[in-house]
Amino acid sequence: MDTSFPREDPQPPTPHKADGAAPTALTLGAQRPPPRDHLVWSVFSTLYLNLCCLGLLALAYSVKARDQKVAGDLEAARRFGSKAKCYNILAAMWTLVPPLLLLGLVVTGALHLARLAKDSAAFFSTKFDDGDYD
C-alpha cells in the first residue's frame, strides 16, 4: 500500500467527440454548500440551556437534519437544520435574557435605594431650633 504524499492519481480519460471538438459541459446552477445540522450547538443547548425543553427540540431536529443529509434529501435537511437553528437561538435567548434583565433590575434598585438612603440621612441630620416649635 502506497502512503507517500503527494499522491498523483491518474487523470480519467477525457471524452472526445467524433469530429474532434472539445466536449461541452453545462452548469445548471451554482453548487450550494451542504446543509448544516447544528448538532454540536444542539447538544450544548440540551445540556446547558434546556429551559422549557427547547434544547431537546433542537437536538431532535438536528438529528433529523443529519439523517436526511445522509439519505440524500438535502432540501429536507435544510428545513430541519433551519428549525434546529431557530430552537437553539430561542433556547439561548430564553436562558440568557431573563438573568440579564434581573441583574439590571437589581442594579437599578440598589442605585435607587442608595439615593433614598442618602436623602433620608440628610433629613434625619437636620437640626431644629427651639424657635421652630413655638
Side-chain angles (χ1 to χ4, degrees), residues 4-100:
S4 62
F5 288 99
R7 259 186 218 151
E8 294 185 22
D9 293 329
Q11 296 293 328
T14 57
H16 293 287
K17 292 184 179 178
D19 60 358
T24 304
L26 294 176
T27 304
L28 297 177
Q31 289 288 343
R32 294 175 66 178
R36 299 185 60 180
D37 53 17
H38 307 285
L39 188 64
V40 174
W41 188 10
S42 297
V43 168
F44 178 77
S45 293
T46 301
L47 293 177
Y48 297 108
L49 305 173
N50 199 13
L51 193 64
C52 296
C53 296
L54 291 174
L56 189 61
L57 282 172
L59 182 64
Y61 279 112
S62 293
V63 170
K64 283 183 178 183
R66 180 156 293 188
D67 289 344
Q68 293 299 318
K69 186 166 59 170
V70 168
D73 189 3
L74 297 181
E75 192 55 41
R78 282 191 218 314
R79 279 195 323 267
F80 288 134
S82 175
K83 286 182 182 182
K85 181 180 177 182
C86 289
Y87 281 122
N88 281 323
I89 291 171
L90 283 174
M93 290 300 113
W94 190 259
T95 303
L96 297 176
V97 169
L100 291 175

Coordinates of all heavy atoms in Angstrom, one line a residue, residues 4-100:
S4 N 2.7 7.4 0.3 CA 3.5 8.5 0.1 C 2.7 9.7 -0.4 O 1.7 9.5 -1.0 CB 4.6 8.2 -0.9 OG 4.0 7.9 -2.2
F5 N 3.1 10.9 0.0 CA 2.4 12.1 -0.4 C 3.3 13.0 -1.1 O 4.5 13.0 -0.9 CB 1.9 12.8 0.9 CG 0.8 12.1 1.5 CD1 1.0 11.3 2.6 CD2 -0.5 12.3 1.1 CE1 -0.1 10.7 3.3 CE2 -1.6 11.6 1.7 CZ -1.4 10.8 2.8
P6 N 3.0 13.8 -2.0 CA 1.6 13.9 -2.6 C 1.3 12.8 -3.5 O 2.2 12.3 -4.2 CB 1.6 15.3 -3.3 CG 3.0 15.5 -3.7 CD 3.9 14.8 -2.6
R7 N 0.1 12.4 -3.5 CA -0.3 11.3 -4.4 C -0.7 11.9 -5.8 O -1.3 12.9 -5.8 CB -1.5 10.6 -3.9 CG -1.2 9.3 -3.2 CD -2.4 8.6 -2.8 NE -2.1 8.0 -1.5 CZ -2.9 7.8 -0.6 NH1 -4.2 8.0 -0.7 NH2 -2.5 7.2 0.5
E8 N -0.3 11.2 -6.7 CA -0.7 11.7 -8.1 C -1.6 10.6 -8.6 O -1.2 9.5 -9.1 CB 0.5 11.8 -9.0 CG 1.4 13.0 -8.5 CD 2.5 13.2 -9.4 OE1 2.5 12.9 -10.6 OE2 3.5 13.8 -9.0
D9 N -2.9 10.9 -8.6 CA -3.9 9.9 -9.2 C -3.9 10.1 -10.7 O -3.8 11.2 -11.2 CB -5.3 10.2 -8.6 CG -5.3 9.9 -7.1 OD1 -4.6 9.0 -6.7 OD2 -6.1 10.6 -6.4
P10 N -4.1 9.0 -11.4 CA -4.1 9.2 -12.8 C -5.4 9.9 -13.2 O -6.5 9.7 -12.6 CB -4.2 7.7 -13.3 CG -4.6 6.9 -12.2 CD -4.2 7.7 -10.9
Q11 N -5.3 10.8 -14.2 CA -6.4 11.5 -14.6 C -7.4 10.6 -15.5 O -6.9 9.8 -16.3 CB -6.0 12.7 -15.5 CG -5.2 13.7 -14.8 CD -6.0 14.4 -13.7 OE1 -7.2 14.7 -13.9 NE2 -5.4 14.8 -12.6
P12 N -8.7 10.8 -15.3 CA -9.6 10.0 -16.1 C -9.5 10.4 -17.5 O -9.2 11.6 -17.8 CB -10.9 10.2 -15.5 CG -10.8 11.5 -14.8 CD -9.4 11.6 -14.3
P13 N -9.7 9.5 -18.4 CA -9.6 9.9 -19.8 C -10.7 10.9 -20.2 O -11.9 10.8 -19.7 CB -9.8 8.6 -20.6 CG -10.5 7.7 -19.6 CD -10.1 8.1 -18.3
T14 N -10.4 11.9 -21.0 CA -11.3 12.9 -21.4 C -12.1 12.4 -22.6 O -11.5 11.9 -23.5 CB -10.6 14.2 -21.7 OG1 -9.7 14.0 -22.6 CG2 -10.0 14.8 -20.4
P15 N -13.4 12.6 -22.6 CA -14.1 12.2 -23.8 C -13.9 13.1 -25.0 O -13.8 14.3 -24.8 CB -15.6 12.2 -23.3 CG -15.6 13.2 -22.2 CD -14.2 13.1 -21.6
H16 N -13.8 12.6 -26.1 CA -13.7 13.3 -27.4 C -14.8 13.0 -28.3 O -15.3 11.9 -28.4 CB -12.4 13.0 -28.0 CG -11.2 13.5 -27.2 ND1 -10.8 14.8 -27.1 CD2 -10.3 12.8 -26.5 CE1 -9.7 14.9 -26.4 NE2 -9.4 13.7 -26.0
K17 N -15.3 14.0 -29.0 CA -16.3 13.8 -30.0 C -15.7 13.2 -31.2 O -14.5 13.4 -31.4 CB -17.0 15.1 -30.3 CG -17.9 15.6 -29.1 CD -18.6 16.8 -29.5 CE -19.5 17.3 -28.4 NZ -20.2 18.5 -28.7
A18 N -16.5 12.7 -32.0 CA -16.0 12.1 -33.3 C -15.4 13.1 -34.2 O -14.5 12.8 -34.9 CB -17.2 11.3 -34.0
D19 N -15.9 14.3 -34.2 CA -15.4 15.3 -35.1 C -14.2 16.1 -34.5 O -13.6 17.0 -35.1 CB -16.5 16.3 -35.5 CG -17.0 17.1 -34.3 OD1 -16.6 16.8 -33.1 OD2 -17.9 17.9 -34.5
G20 N -13.7 15.7 -33.3 CA -12.5 16.3 -32.7 C -12.7 17.5 -31.9 O -11.8 18.1 -31.4
A21 N -14.0 18.0 -31.8 CA -14.3 19.2 -31.0 C -14.3 18.8 -29.5 O -14.4 17.7 -29.1 CB -15.7 19.7 -31.3
A22 N -14.0 19.8 -28.7 CA -13.9 19.6 -27.2 C -15.3 19.4 -26.7 O -16.3 20.0 -27.2 CB -13.3 20.8 -26.6
P23 N -15.5 18.6 -25.6 CA -16.8 18.4 -25.1 C -17.4 19.6 -24.4 O -16.6 20.5 -23.9 CB -16.6 17.3 -24.0 CG -15.1 17.4 -23.7 CD -14.4 17.9 -24.9
T24 N -18.7 19.8 -24.4 CA -19.3 20.9 -23.8 C -20.0 20.5 -22.5 O -20.7 19.5 -22.4 CB -20.4 21.4 -24.8 OG1 -19.8 21.7 -26.0 CG2 -21.1 22.7 -24.2
A25 N -19.7 21.3 -21.4 CA -20.4 21.0 -20.1 C -21.2 22.2 -19.7 O -20.8 23.3 -19.9 CB -19.3 20.8 -19.1
L26 N -22.4 21.9 -19.3 CA -23.3 23.0 -18.9 C -23.4 22.9 -17.4 O -23.6 21.9 -16.8 CB -24.7 22.8 -19.5 CG -24.8 22.9 -21.0 CD1 -26.2 22.6 -21.4 CD2 -24.5 24.3 -21.4
T27 N -23.3 24.1 -16.8 CA -23.5 24.2 -15.3 C -24.9 24.8 -15.1 O -25.2 25.9 -15.6 CB -22.5 25.2 -14.7 OG1 -21.2 24.6 -15.0 CG2 -22.6 25.2 -13.2
L28 N -25.8 24.0 -14.5 CA -27.2 24.5 -14.4 C -27.4 25.4 -13.2 O -28.3 26.2 -13.2 CB -28.1 23.2 -14.2 CG -28.1 22.3 -15.3 CD1 -28.9 21.1 -15.0 CD2 -28.6 22.9 -16.6
G29 N -26.6 25.5 -12.3 CA -26.7 26.4 -11.2 C -25.5 26.3 -10.3 O -24.7 25.3 -10.3
A30 N -25.3 27.3 -9.4 CA -24.2 27.3 -8.5 C -24.4 26.2 -7.5 O -25.5 26.0 -7.0 CB -24.0 28.6 -7.9
Q31 N -23.4 25.5 -7.2 CA -23.5 24.4 -6.1 C -23.7 25.1 -4.8 O -22.9 26.0 -4.4 CB -22.2 23.6 -6.1 CG -22.0 22.7 -7.3 CD -23.0 21.5 -7.3 OE1 -23.6 21.2 -6.3 NE2 -23.3 20.9 -8.4
R32 N -24.7 24.6 -4.1 CA -25.0 25.1 -2.8 C -24.2 24.3 -1.8 O -24.0 23.1 -2.0 CB -26.4 25.1 -2.4 CG -27.3 26.0 -3.3 CD -28.7 25.8 -3.1 NE -29.1 26.2 -1.8 CZ -30.4 26.2 -1.3 NH1 -31.3 25.8 -2.1 NH2 -30.6 26.6 -0.1
P33 N -23.7 25.0 -0.7 CA -23.0 24.2 0.3 C -23.9 23.2 1.0 O -25.1 23.4 1.0 CB -22.5 25.2 1.3 CG -23.4 26.4 1.1 CD -23.9 26.3 -0.3
P34 N -23.4 22.1 1.5 CA -24.2 21.1 2.2 C -24.9 21.7 3.4 O -24.4 22.6 4.0 CB -23.3 20.0 2.6 CG -21.9 20.7 2.6 CD -22.0 21.8 1.6
P35 N -26.1 21.3 3.6 CA -26.9 21.9 4.7 C -26.2 21.6 6.1 O -25.6 20.6 6.3 CB -28.3 21.2 4.6 CG -28.0 19.9 3.9 CD -26.9 20.2 3.0
R36 N -26.4 22.6 7.0 CA -25.8 22.4 8.3 C -26.9 21.9 9.2 O -28.0 22.2 9.2 CB -25.3 23.8 8.8 CG -24.2 24.4 7.9 CD -23.7 25.6 8.4 NE -23.1 25.4 9.7 CZ -22.6 26.3 10.5 NH1 -22.5 27.5 10.0 NH2 -22.1 26.0 11.7
D37 N -26.4 21.0 10.1 CA -27.4 20.3 11.0 C -27.3 20.9 12.4 O -28.2 20.7 13.2 CB -27.2 18.8 11.0 CG -25.8 18.4 11.3 OD1 -25.0 19.2 11.8 OD2 -25.5 17.2 11.1
H38 N -26.3 21.7 12.8 CA -26.1 22.3 14.1 C -26.2 21.3 15.2 O -26.7 21.6 16.3 CB -27.2 23.4 14.3 CG -27.2 24.4 13.2 ND1 -26.3 25.4 13.0 CD2 -28.1 24.6 12.1 CE1 -26.6 26.1 11.9 NE2 -27.7 25.7 11.4
L39 N -25.6 20.2 15.0 CA -25.7 19.1 16.0 C -24.9 19.4 17.3 O -25.4 19.3 18.4 CB -25.2 17.8 15.5 CG -25.4 16.6 16.3 CD1 -26.9 16.3 16.5 CD2 -24.8 15.3 15.7
V40 N -23.7 20.0 17.2 CA -22.9 20.3 18.4 C -23.6 21.4 19.2 O -23.7 21.3 20.4 CB -21.5 20.7 17.9 CG1 -20.7 21.2 19.1 CG2 -20.8 19.6 17.2
W41 N -24.1 22.4 18.5 CA -24.8 23.5 19.2 C -26.1 23.0 19.9 O -26.4 23.4 21.0 CB -25.2 24.6 18.2 CG -25.8 25.8 18.7 CD1 -25.8 26.2 20.0 CD2 -26.4 26.9 17.9 NE1 -26.4 27.5 20.1 CE2 -26.8 27.9 18.8 CE3 -26.6 27.1 16.6 CZ2 -27.4 29.1 18.4 CZ3 -27.2 28.2 16.2 CH2 -27.6 29.2 17.1
S42 N -26.8 22.0 19.3 CA -28.0 21.4 19.9 C -27.6 20.6 21.1 O -28.4 20.6 22.1 CB -28.7 20.6 18.8 OG -29.1 21.4 17.8
V43 N -26.5 19.9 21.0 CA -26.1 19.1 22.2 C -25.8 20.1 23.4 O -26.2 19.8 24.5 CB -24.9 18.2 21.9 CG1 -24.3 17.6 23.1 CG2 -25.4 17.1 20.9
F44 N -25.1 21.1 23.0 CA -24.8 22.1 24.1 C -26.1 22.8 24.6 O -26.2 22.9 25.8 CB -23.9 23.2 23.5 CG -23.6 24.3 24.4 CD1 -22.6 24.2 25.4 CD2 -24.2 25.6 24.4 CE1 -22.3 25.2 26.3 CE2 -24.0 26.6 25.2 CZ -23.0 26.4 26.2
S45 N -27.0 23.1 23.8 CA -28.3 23.7 24.2 C -29.1 22.7 25.1 O -29.7 23.0 26.1 CB -29.1 24.1 23.0 OG -28.6 25.2 22.4
T46 N -29.0 21.4 24.7 CA -29.7 20.4 25.5 C -29.1 20.2 26.9 O -29.8 20.1 27.9 CB -29.7 19.0 24.8 OG1 -30.3 19.2 23.5 CG2 -30.4 18.0 25.5
L47 N -27.8 20.2 27.0 CA -27.1 20.0 28.2 C -27.1 21.2 29.1 O -27.3 21.1 30.4 CB -25.7 19.6 28.0 CG -25.5 18.2 27.3 CD1 -24.0 17.9 27.1 CD2 -26.1 17.1 28.2
Y48 N -26.9 22.4 28.6 CA -26.7 23.6 29.4 C -27.9 24.6 29.3 O -28.0 25.4 30.2 CB -25.4 24.3 29.0 CG -24.2 23.4 29.2 CD1 -23.5 22.9 28.2 CD2 -23.8 23.2 30.5 CE1 -22.4 22.1 28.4 CE2 -22.7 22.3 30.8 CZ -22.0 21.8 29.7 OH -21.0 21.0 29.9
L49 N -28.6 24.7 28.3 CA -29.6 25.7 28.1 C -31.0 25.1 27.9 O -31.8 25.6 27.1 CB -29.3 26.6 26.9 CG -27.9 27.2 26.9 CD1 -27.7 27.9 25.6 CD2 -27.8 28.2 28.0
N50 N -31.3 24.0 28.6 CA -32.5 23.3 28.3 C -33.7 23.8 29.1 O -34.4 23.1 29.8 CB -32.3 21.8 28.6 CG -33.3 20.9 27.9 OD1 -34.0 21.4 27.0 ND2 -33.4 19.7 28.3
L51 N -34.0 25.1 28.9 CA -35.2 25.6 29.6 C -36.4 25.4 28.7 O -36.3 25.6 27.5 CB -35.0 27.1 29.8 CG -35.9 27.8 30.7 CD1 -35.8 27.3 32.1 CD2 -35.7 29.3 30.7
C52 N -37.5 24.9 29.2 CA -38.7 24.5 28.5 C -38.4 23.5 27.4 O -39.1 23.5 26.4 CB -39.3 25.8 27.9 SG -39.9 26.9 29.2
C53 N -37.4 22.7 27.5 CA -37.1 21.6 26.6 C -36.8 22.1 25.2 O -36.9 21.4 24.2 CB -38.1 20.6 26.6 SG -38.3 19.7 28.1
L54 N -36.4 23.4 25.0 CA -36.1 23.9 23.7 C -34.8 23.3 23.1 O -34.7 23.0 21.9 CB -36.0 25.4 23.7 CG -37.3 26.2 23.9 CD1 -37.1 27.7 24.1 CD2 -38.3 25.9 22.8
G55 N -33.9 23.0 24.0 CA -32.7 22.4 23.6 C -32.9 21.0 23.1 O -32.3 20.5 22.1
L56 N -33.8 20.3 23.7 CA -34.2 18.9 23.3 C -34.8 18.9 22.0 O -34.6 18.1 21.1 CB -35.1 18.3 24.4 CG -35.3 16.8 24.2 CD1 -34.0 16.0 24.3 CD2 -36.3 16.3 25.3
L57 N -35.7 19.9 21.7 CA -36.3 20.0 20.4 C -35.3 20.3 19.3 O -35.3 19.8 18.2 CB -37.4 21.1 20.4 CG -38.7 20.8 21.0 CD1 -39.6 22.1 21.1 CD2 -39.4 19.8 20.2
A58 N -34.3 21.2 19.7 CA -33.3 21.5 18.7 C -32.4 20.2 18.4 O -32.1 20.0 17.3 CB -32.4 22.6 19.3
L59 N -32.2 19.4 19.4 CA -31.4 18.2 19.2 C -32.2 17.2 18.3 O -31.6 16.6 17.4 CB -31.1 17.6 20.6 CG -30.3 16.3 20.5 CD1 -28.9 16.6 19.9 CD2 -30.1 15.7 21.9
A60 N -33.5 17.1 18.5 CA -34.3 16.2 17.7 C -34.2 16.7 16.2 O -34.1 15.8 15.3 CB -35.7 16.2 18.2
Y61 N -34.4 18.0 16.0 CA -34.4 18.5 14.6 C -33.0 18.4 14.0 O -32.8 18.1 12.8 CB -34.9 19.9 14.5 CG -36.4 20.0 14.5 CD1 -37.1 20.5 15.5 CD2 -37.1 19.5 13.4 CE1 -38.5 20.5 15.5 CE2 -38.5 19.5 13.4 CZ -39.2 20.1 14.4 OH -40.5 20.1 14.4
S62 N -31.9 18.5 14.8 CA -30.6 18.3 14.3 C -30.3 16.9 13.9 O -29.7 16.7 12.8 CB -29.6 18.7 15.4 OG -29.6 20.1 15.6
V63 N -30.8 15.9 14.6 CA -30.6 14.5 14.3 C -31.4 14.2 13.0 O -30.9 13.5 12.1 CB -31.1 13.6 15.4 CG1 -31.1 12.2 15.0 CG2 -30.1 13.8 16.6
K64 N -32.6 14.8 12.9 CA -33.4 14.6 11.7 C -32.7 15.2 10.5 O -32.7 14.6 9.4 CB -34.8 15.3 11.8 CG -35.8 14.5 12.6 CD -37.1 15.2 12.6 CE -38.1 14.4 13.4 NZ -39.5 15.1 13.4
A65 N -32.1 16.4 10.7 CA -31.4 17.0 9.6 C -30.2 16.2 9.1 O -29.9 16.0 7.9 CB -30.9 18.4 10.0
R66 N -29.5 15.6 10.1 CA -28.3 14.8 9.7 C -28.8 13.5 9.0 O -28.2 13.1 8.1 CB -27.5 14.4 11.0 CG -26.3 13.5 10.7 CD -25.3 13.6 11.6 NE -24.6 14.9 11.6 CZ -23.5 15.2 12.3 NH1 -23.0 14.2 13.0 NH2 -23.0 16.4 12.3
D67 N -29.9 12.9 9.5 CA -30.4 11.7 8.8 C -30.8 12.0 7.4 O -30.5 11.2 6.5 CB -31.6 11.2 9.6 CG -31.2 10.5 10.9 OD1 -30.0 10.2 11.1 OD2 -32.1 10.3 11.8
Q68 N -31.5 13.1 7.2 CA -31.9 13.5 5.8 C -30.7 13.8 4.9 O -30.7 13.5 3.7 CB -32.8 14.7 5.8 CG -34.2 14.4 6.5 CD -34.9 13.3 5.8 OE1 -34.9 13.2 4.5 NE2 -35.5 12.4 6.5
K69 N -29.6 14.4 5.5 CA -28.4 14.7 4.7 C -27.8 13.4 4.3 O -27.3 13.3 3.2 CB -27.5 15.5 5.5 CG -26.3 16.0 4.8 CD -25.5 17.1 5.4 CE -25.0 16.8 6.8 NZ -24.1 17.8 7.3
V70 N -27.7 12.4 5.2 CA -27.1 11.1 4.9 C -28.0 10.4 3.8 O -27.4 9.7 2.9 CB -26.9 10.3 6.2 CG1 -26.6 8.8 5.8 CG2 -25.9 10.9 7.0
A71 N -29.3 10.5 3.9 CA -30.2 9.9 3.0 C -30.2 10.5 1.6 O -30.6 9.9 0.6 CB -31.6 9.8 3.5
G72 N -29.6 11.7 1.5 CA -29.5 12.4 0.2 C -30.6 13.4 0.0 O -30.6 14.1 -1.1
D73 N -31.6 13.6 0.9 CA -32.6 14.6 0.7 C -32.1 15.9 1.3 O -32.4 16.2 2.5 CB -33.9 14.1 1.4 CG -35.1 15.0 1.1 OD1 -35.0 16.0 0.3 OD2 -36.2 14.7 1.6
L74 N -31.5 16.7 0.5 CA -30.8 17.9 1.0 C -31.8 19.0 1.3 O -31.6 19.8 2.3 CB -29.8 18.4 0.0 CG -28.6 17.5 -0.3 CD1 -27.7 18.1 -1.3 CD2 -27.9 17.1 1.0
E75 N -32.9 19.1 0.6 CA -33.9 20.1 0.9 C -34.6 19.9 2.3 O -34.8 20.8 3.1 CB -35.0 20.2 -0.2 CG -35.9 21.4 -0.1 CD -35.1 22.7 -0.1 OE1 -34.1 22.8 -0.9 OE2 -35.5 23.6 0.7
A76 N -34.9 18.6 2.6 CA -35.5 18.3 3.9 C -34.4 18.6 5.0 O -34.7 19.1 6.1 CB -36.0 16.9 4.0
A77 N -33.2 18.3 4.7 CA -32.1 18.5 5.7 C -32.0 20.0 5.9 O -31.7 20.4 7.1 CB -30.8 17.9 5.1
R78 N -32.1 20.8 4.9 CA -32.1 22.3 5.1 C -33.2 22.8 6.0 O -33.0 23.6 6.9 CB -32.1 23.0 3.8 CG -30.9 23.0 3.0 CD -30.9 24.0 1.9 NE -30.3 23.6 0.6 CZ -29.1 23.1 0.5 NH1 -28.4 22.8 1.5 NH2 -28.6 22.8 -0.7
R79 N -34.4 22.2 5.8 CA -35.6 22.6 6.6 C -35.4 22.3 8.0 O -35.6 23.1 8.9 CB -36.8 22.0 6.1 CG -37.5 22.7 4.9 CD -38.9 22.2 4.6 NE -39.1 20.8 4.9 CZ -39.0 19.8 4.0 NH1 -38.7 20.1 2.7 NH2 -39.3 18.6 4.3
F80 N -35.0 21.0 8.3 CA -34.8 20.6 9.7 C -33.6 21.3 10.3 O -33.7 21.6 11.5 CB -34.5 19.0 9.7 CG -35.8 18.2 9.4 CD1 -35.7 17.2 8.6 CD2 -37.0 18.5 10.0 CE1 -36.9 16.4 8.3 CE2 -38.1 17.8 9.8 CZ -38.0 16.7 8.9
G81 N -32.6 21.6 9.6 CA -31.4 22.3 10.1 C -31.8 23.7 10.5 O -31.4 24.3 11.5
S82 N -32.7 24.3 9.7 CA -33.2 25.7 9.9 C -34.0 25.7 11.2 O -33.9 26.6 12.1 CB -34.0 26.2 8.8 OG -34.5 27.5 9.1
K83 N -34.9 24.7 11.4 CA -35.7 24.6 12.6 C -34.8 24.4 13.8 O -35.0 25.0 14.9 CB -36.7 23.5 12.5 CG -37.8 23.8 11.6 CD -38.8 22.7 11.5 CE -40.0 23.0 10.6 NZ -41.0 22.0 10.6
A84 N -33.8 23.6 13.7 CA -32.8 23.3 14.8 C -32.1 24.6 15.2 O -32.0 24.9 16.4 CB -31.8 22.2 14.4
K85 N -31.7 25.4 14.2 CA -31.1 26.7 14.5 C -32.0 27.6 15.2 O -31.6 28.3 16.2 CB -30.6 27.3 13.1 CG -29.9 28.6 13.3 CD -29.4 29.1 12.0 CE -28.8 30.5 12.1 NZ -28.4 31.0 10.8
C86 N -33.3 27.7 14.8 CA -34.2 28.6 15.4 C -34.4 28.2 16.9 O -34.5 29.0 17.8 CB -35.6 28.6 14.7 SG -35.5 29.4 13.1
Y87 N -34.6 26.9 17.1 CA -34.8 26.4 18.5 C -33.5 26.6 19.4 O -33.6 26.9 20.5 CB -35.2 24.9 18.5 CG -36.6 24.7 18.2 CD1 -37.0 23.9 17.2 CD2 -37.6 25.3 19.0 CE1 -38.4 23.7 16.9 CE2 -39.0 25.1 18.7 CZ -39.3 24.3 17.6 OH -40.7 24.2 17.3
N88 N -32.4 26.5 18.8 CA -31.1 26.8 19.5 C -31.1 28.3 19.9 O -30.7 28.6 21.0 CB -29.9 26.4 18.7 CG -29.6 25.0 18.7 OD1 -29.8 24.3 19.7 ND2 -29.2 24.4 17.6
I89 N -31.4 29.2 19.0 CA -31.4 30.6 19.3 C -32.5 30.9 20.3 O -32.2 31.7 21.3 CB -31.7 31.4 18.0 CG1 -30.5 31.3 17.0 CG2 -32.0 32.9 18.3 CD1 -30.7 31.9 15.7
L90 N -33.7 30.3 20.2 CA -34.7 30.5 21.3 C -34.2 30.0 22.6 O -34.4 30.7 23.7 CB -36.0 29.8 20.9 CG -36.8 30.5 19.8 CD1 -38.0 29.6 19.4 CD2 -37.3 31.9 20.3
A91 N -33.6 28.9 22.7 CA -33.1 28.3 23.9 C -32.0 29.2 24.5 O -32.0 29.5 25.7 CB -32.5 26.9 23.7
A92 N -31.2 29.8 23.7 CA -30.1 30.7 24.2 C -30.7 32.0 24.7 O -30.4 32.4 25.8 CB -29.1 30.9 23.1
M93 N -31.6 32.5 24.0 CA -32.2 33.8 24.4 C -33.1 33.6 25.6 O -33.1 34.4 26.6 CB -33.1 34.4 23.3 CG -32.3 34.9 22.1 SD -31.2 36.2 22.6 CE -29.6 35.4 22.3
W94 N -33.8 32.5 25.7 CA -34.7 32.2 26.8 C -33.9 32.0 28.1 O -34.4 32.3 29.2 CB -35.6 31.0 26.5 CG -36.7 30.7 27.4 CD1 -36.7 29.8 28.4 CD2 -37.9 31.4 27.5 NE1 -37.9 29.9 29.1 CE2 -38.7 30.8 28.6 CE3 -38.5 32.4 26.8 CZ2 -39.9 31.2 28.9 CZ3 -39.8 32.8 27.1 CH2 -40.5 32.2 28.2
T95 N -32.7 31.5 28.0 CA -31.9 31.3 29.1 C -31.0 32.5 29.5 O -30.7 32.7 30.7 CB -31.0 30.1 28.8 OG1 -31.8 29.0 28.5 CG2 -30.1 29.7 30.0
L96 N -30.6 33.3 28.5 CA -29.6 34.4 28.9 C -30.3 35.7 29.1 O -29.8 36.5 30.0 CB -28.7 34.5 27.7 CG -27.7 33.3 27.4 CD1 -26.9 33.6 26.2 CD2 -26.9 33.0 28.6
V97 N -31.4 36.0 28.5 CA -32.1 37.3 28.7 C -32.7 37.5 30.1 O -32.4 38.6 30.7 CB -33.1 37.6 27.5 CG1 -33.9 38.8 27.8 CG2 -32.3 37.7 26.2
P98 N -33.5 36.6 30.6 CA -34.1 36.8 31.9 C -33.0 37.1 33.0 O -33.2 38.0 33.8 CB -34.9 35.6 32.2 CG -35.3 35.1 30.9 CD -34.1 35.4 30.0
P99 N -31.9 36.4 33.2 CA -30.9 36.7 34.2 C -30.3 38.1 34.0 O -30.1 38.8 34.9 CB -29.9 35.6 34.1 CG -30.6 34.5 33.5 CD -31.6 35.1 32.6
L100 N -30.1 38.5 32.7 CA -29.6 39.8 32.4 C -30.6 40.9 32.8 O -30.2 41.9 33.4 CB -29.2 39.9 31.0 CG -28.0 39.1 30.5 CD1 -27.8 39.2 29.0 CD2 -26.7 39.5 31.3

